[in-house]
Amino acid sequence: MAIAVLGTGVLLVSSCDKKFTEINPLNNLKEENAFSTAKNIDLTLNGMYWHAGVGYYNPGTGLVAGRGYPFGGASIEQGEMRGEDMVNLQAFYEITYLGNYTVTTANNVNHWEQLYQLINQANVIVDGLNGAVQKGVITKAIADPYEGEALFVRALAHHELLIHYSRPYADNNGSNMGIPYRTKGVTNGTLANEGLSVDRGTVASCYALLLSDLDKAETLLPNSQSNAALSISRATKGAAIALKTRIKLHMGDYPGVIDEGKKLGTDATNGSFTSAIGGYKLEANPVTPFVNFKANTESIFSVAQSLNSNGGVNGAITSMFSPSGLDGRDLIATSPNLYNASFWLSGDRRKTDLQYRQSVGTRQFVYNKKYTRYGINDDWNPILRYAEVLLNVAEAYAYQGNTAQALALLNAVRNRSVPAGAEFTQAPSDLKLAIYQERRIEFTGEGKRWSDVHRLALNSQYGTGGIPAKVRPAQLTGGLSIYDGSTILTPSYGAIAYSDHRFVWPLPTSEMDANPTLRAQQNPNY
C-alpha cells in the first residue's frame, strides 16, 4: 500500500489553549469524529498544519519518527542541498547534495510520500467540510475559510512536488510529465481507486490546477486570522496571492506576476511598499522576521513549530542549520563561494547578523544564523515573506521593461541591509542579474535556491544549465580563513547537466509497487 496514495487524511492534534502556535500532539481523533463538531473541525485543520511541519520519516528500517517533512527542516535543507550556495558537511543529506538518489533513497522517497499524505489530508478536509455543512454542524460561512486553507496547502504541496519530480514549465511550455494532481480525499472508508486512477498529466495542466486552487482560496480566505501568530502560521488571502506570484514566475507569466503583486501593494510609485491586504511591509531590520517569527509585518506564511512539536534533533530547522558551537549539528555550512561573492558586500547586515563564524570545534566554517532557538527547536519554517513578493515582482517588471519599478522593488529589499552609500542610485548594467543575486543573498538558508535553479535551468543567460557544480567539504581546508571576502573555490563536484536524468527525482518504489497507473510514468532512466 503506497502511503502517498492511501494514507488517511485525518491526523489531528489538540492544544491546551486551542492555538496551533503552541501545539502539543496528544491524540488522533477517529475519522468518523473529525467533522462531527466545530471544535473537531478546527483540530482537523491544526492536524494538517502539524503534518506539514513535522510529518514522519521512514528510513526503511520499520522505525518511524517525525523528521521535518514535508515543509519542516527537511524540506528547507533539501532545497539548499540541491543547490550550490551551502556545503553539505556530513552524510545526512549527502545523497541529495551529490545527486545519488534512487527510487528507494530515504530523502526523496519520504518527501514524495509526505507531500501526498499532506495533500490527502487537505482533500479529506475539503470533503469533510462539505458534509459538515450539509449536516448542519457548521455554516458555509464558517466552512469557507477552512476550505481556503486546505486549498492553499494543497497547491503549495503540489508545487513542491513539481519542482523536484518534473521538468520546469519553460521546457516545451509545460508539455512534459507533471505529477498526479489529487483532489479527492482517500480515507479508510473509500476505495483506493480514488487516488490510483490519477495519472501525471502535464506540467502545464498541473499549473492550471494550482492556479485554480489558489484563485478559489483567495476568494475564501480572510485577510488575517484571529491574532498575529495565527495570521502567519495559517493561510490567509495574502498567502494565496503571494504564492501565485511565485507560481506565475515559474510559468514565465510576467504580466500575471505583476497583476498579483498589485494586490499586495507592489505597484506603489514612491518606493515604499505596503500591502492593504494583510498589512505586509518589510521590516527595517532583516533579522526581525527570524527573531520575532510569530509577530512581524514581513512573514506571510510560515510553518509553525513548538517545543513539544517539531522535527526533533534530526529534523528541526534550528538544529539542522546551526553549528555545534550554538548547540547545532554542523550539518551544512555557507559556501565560501557565496559568502565571498563580490555581490555580497562585506557590511551587509545579512552577512554580519544572519551568518555565524564558528571558531571552535573541528568544523570552523560560516553557518546560517536565521534560526536561533537553540535547544528549543521551535523556530518556524519561513515559506512566504513579503521580501519574496517584492523580488518576484521586480523580476517580472525587469522582463517587461519597466526598469524604474523593478529597481525600486529591488532597492526596497536590498537597501535595508547594505552599508550606507552602497545603494543603487540607478539601475545596474544588468538589472536582472542583480535581482537574481539578491535572491541568493536574501533567501539563503530558506530552501529557495533549488526553486530558482529549477525554473531558470533553460535560461541561457541567467540559468545554471542543470544542477550547479558544488564545493566538497574536503575543499574547506582553510577553515574560517577561506571566508576572507575574496577566495572563490573551484567546485570539485561537477555540475549535472539539465539533460541528465538526475535533474529530476525518481518516483519512489513504494508508489510504483502499489500504483499501476504510474508504473509506466516513471521519470526516464530510473
Side-chain angles (χ1 to χ4, degrees):
M1 179 180 292
I3 298 171
V5 177
L6 304 179
T8 177
V10 189
L11 175 62
L12 308 176
V13 297
S14 61
S15 163
C16 57
D17 66 352
K18 301 181 184 179
K19 293 181 182 178
F20 175 70
T21 56
E22 298 176 14
I23 54 178
N24 182 19
L26 299 176
N27 64 295
N28 290 347
L29 294 182
K30 292 182 179 180
E31 184 179 307
E32 59 267 24
N33 295 330
F35 301 94
S36 61
T37 69
K39 179 180 179 180
N40 284 357
I41 290 170
D42 196 58
L43 289 174
T44 305
L45 267 290
N46 287 349
M48 177 183 68
Y49 288 111
W50 177 89
H51 182 82
V54 179
Y56 70 81
Y57 173 81
N58 183 356
T61 63
L63 301 173
V64 176
R67 188 60 71 83
Y69 292 95
F71 287 108
S75 170
I76 303 268
E77 182 153 348
Q78 294 220 95
E80 294 295 345
M81 291 298 91
R82 297 205 72 189
E84 79 282 31
D85 286 343
M86 302 190 83
V87 181
N88 179 69
L89 301 178
Q90 300 189 54
F92 209 79
Y93 280 101
E94 187 173 32
I95 288 171
T96 299
Y97 191 68
L98 299 182
N100 293 334
Y101 23 80
T102 71
V103 295
T104 59
T105 44
N107 297 151
N108 46 296
V109 168
N110 279 277
H111 208 49
W112 173 278
E113 292 180 349
Q114 288 304 286
L115 282 163
Y116 275 115
Q117 180 79 323
L118 179 62
I119 288 165
N120 197 52
Q121 287 181 293
N123 289 337
V124 168
I125 286 170
V126 172
D127 296 340
L129 289 170
N130 291 332
V133 171
Q134 291 173 8
K135 294 176 182 178
V137 176
I138 56 174
T139 65
K140 190 175 186 301
I142 293 175
D144 280 351
Y146 285 148
E147 182 180 356
E149 291 184 71
L151 292 174
F152 169 83
V153 169
R154 185 167 83 185
L156 182 71
H158 277 111
H159 190 248
E160 180 75 6
L161 285 158
L162 279 166
I163 67 171
H164 287 295
Y165 297 92
S166 295
R167 298 279 170 172
Y169 195 97
D171 190 337
N172 292 317
N173 202 32
S175 62
N176 291 305
M177 284 190 297
I179 43 90
Y181 205 101
R182 296 186 172 125
T183 59
K184 294 183 178 181
V186 178
T187 69
N188 292 335
T190 59
L191 296 176
N193 289 340
E194 294 284 350
L196 295 175
S197 62
V198 182
D199 67 13
R200 294 184 65 175
T202 65
V203 170
S205 67
C206 288
Y207 271 84
L209 290 168
L210 286 171
L211 292 176
S212 177
D213 274 352
L214 291 172
D215 284 341
K216 185 174 183 181
E218 180 187 349
T219 68
L220 298 175
L221 286 166
N223 284 8
S224 62
Q225 298 284 357
S226 58
N227 60 55
L230 289 178
S231 293
I232 295 173
S233 64
R234 290 179 67 155
T236 58
K237 188 183 299 291
I241 297 168
L243 185 54
K244 282 198 286 182
T245 70
R246 181 189 294 177
I247 299 299
K248 292 189 176 187
L249 199 63
H250 277 260
M251 299 172 69
D253 178 8
Y254 301 124
V257 175
I258 291 168
D259 286 343
E260 296 297 336
K262 287 178 180 177
K263 300 175 186 177
L264 300 181
T266 60
D267 58 339
T269 57
N270 61 358
S272 180
F273 302 99
T274 301
S275 172
I277 296 174
Y280 308 117
K281 61 180 180 180
L282 292 176
E283 293 284 354
N285 187 337
V287 178
T288 301
F290 303 98
V291 175
N292 299 335
F293 49 83
K294 293 183 181 181
N296 66 84
T297 62
E298 186 171 331
S299 296
I300 297 175
F301 178 71
S302 297
V303 172
Q305 308 276 263
S306 74
L307 174 63
N308 296 315
S309 186
N310 58 62
V313 68
N314 284 331
I317 195 169
T318 316
S319 62
M320 295 176 83
F321 275 80
S322 300
S324 56
L326 297 176
D327 203 23
R329 301 191 61 201
D330 288 350
L331 292 182
I332 48 176
T334 300
S335 172
N337 288 1
L338 174 65
Y339 190 86
N340 296 330
S342 59
F343 57 82
W344 198 354
L345 304 180
S346 60
D348 192 313
R349 297 180 73 175
R350 293 164 296 187
K351 181 177 283 189
T352 59
D353 299 348
L354 291 173
Q355 297 286 307
Y356 177 79
R357 299 175 67 89
Q358 177 161 273
S359 57
V360 298
T362 58
R363 298 185 178 93
Q364 297 185 23
F365 311 126
V366 171
Y367 295 82
N368 192 276
K369 196 186 175 185
K370 287 182 173 176
Y371 314 108
T372 58
R373 300 283 290 174
Y374 312 116
I376 303 172
N377 291 332
D378 65 347
D379 282 295
W380 290 7
N381 307 308
I383 305 298
L384 288 162
R385 290 195 290 118
Y386 196 52
E388 181 188 348
V389 173
L390 298 188
L391 291 179
N392 289 348
V393 180
E395 183 178 335
Y397 274 123
Y399 276 93
Q400 290 297 102
N402 189 336
T403 299
Q405 194 66 4
L407 179 61
L409 290 159
L410 169 61
N411 275 340
V413 177
R414 184 176 182 273
N415 287 356
R416 64 176 176 169
S417 297
V418 298
E423 299 91 347
F424 291 136
T425 56
Q426 60 183 16
S429 58
D430 192 333
L431 179 57
K432 295 171 189 172
L433 178 61
I435 293 170
Y436 291 132
Q437 291 170 339
E438 187 66 21
R439 293 180 70 91
R440 292 175 68 181
I441 298 170
E442 181 66 25
F443 303 128
T444 184
E446 297 180 53
K448 293 179 172 57
R449 180 57 183 153
W450 173 250
S451 180
D452 283 347
V453 169
H454 183 269
R455 70 183 176 88
L456 295 169
L458 295 178
N459 187 313
S460 60
Q461 188 171 1
Y462 302 107
T464 58
I467 300 175
K470 300 176 182 181
V471 171
R472 288 182 183 267
Q475 294 183 261
L476 305 181
T477 54
L480 276 178
S481 67
I482 63 173
Y483 293 89
D484 58 2
S486 61
T487 297
I488 301 295
L489 302 174
T490 300
S492 63
Y493 189 74
I496 297 175
Y498 178 77
S499 59
D500 192 292
H501 70 284
R502 290 172 293 173
F503 185 82
V504 293
W505 281 347
L507 279 59
T509 295
S510 58
E511 187 74 58
M512 298 292 98
D513 287 347
N515 193 336
T517 302
L518 296 186
R519 284 176 199 157
Q521 296 184 337
Q522 176 63 279
N523 285 325
N525 298 318
Y526 282 111

